Amino acid sequence: MDLTIIKHAVECDDGAKRLSMRFLKDRATEGLRSRLSRELCTQISAELSRLGLTTIPRTLPTSENDFVWIIQKASMLGEVTDVAAVFANLDRLGQNPLPQLFDNYPNAKEGLI
């Protein structure tokens, strides 16, 4: 699985790029006809992480019609995303030090877990 083309595309767009899951699947499977399964999404996430990239939503959808944001981890936006994901996970566990944080941003919490 070689996703370096995506890494270069993200770098060209200042650290963030919106891509379809169909495009990600085609790049990950090198054009072979394959179903976008949970396992393939996990493999894609692992490869993107190895390349220094993260996604929003964190758990990739299995629908080829959905879009995701690919973000460079070593950027300001990537670091803010990581901090927000920590708060979303703490909130899910009932440990959020800012309990009303996601009251105003319900869609943010859903994409960060």
Side-chain angles (χ1 to χ4, degrees), residues 37-103:
S37 64
R38 178 65 45 215
E39 295 80 22
L40 180 58
C41 287
T42 302
Q43 291 174 354
I44 292 171
S45 291
E47 180 66 12
L48 290 173
S49 181
R50 189 185 68 74
L51 293 171
L53 303 171
T54 189
T55 62
I56 298 292
R58 290 296 174 117
T59 304
L60 293 176
T62 56
S63 170
E64 292 184 13
N65 297 325
D66 287 342
F67 285 81
V68 296
W69 284 95
I70 312 291
I71 302 169
Q72 194 172 22
K73 285 183 182 181
S75 68
M76 185 183 304
L77 181 59
E79 290 180 6
V80 168
T81 302
D82 285 344
V83 169
V86 169
F87 275 99
N89 282 322
L90 286 172
D91 192 70
R92 182 176 53 97
L93 297 171
Q95 303 283 327
N96 190 348
L98 304 169
Q100 289 81 28
L101 179 66
F102 291 106
D103 289 348

Side-chain angles (χ1 to χ4, degrees), residues 18-54:
R18 185 175 182 250
L19 298 173
S20 72
M21 287 303 297
R22 180 176 323 238
F23 181 81
L24 280 175
K25 180 195 79 137
D26 288 345
R27 294 300 161 260
T29 60
E30 299 169 359
L32 300 174
R33 301 215 22 108
S34 178
R35 190 173 68 83
L36 192 55
S37 64
R38 178 65 45 215
E39 295 80 22
L40 180 58
C41 287
T42 302
Q43 291 174 354
I44 292 171
S45 291
E47 180 66 12
L48 290 173
S49 181
R50 189 185 68 74
L51 293 171
L53 303 171
T54 189

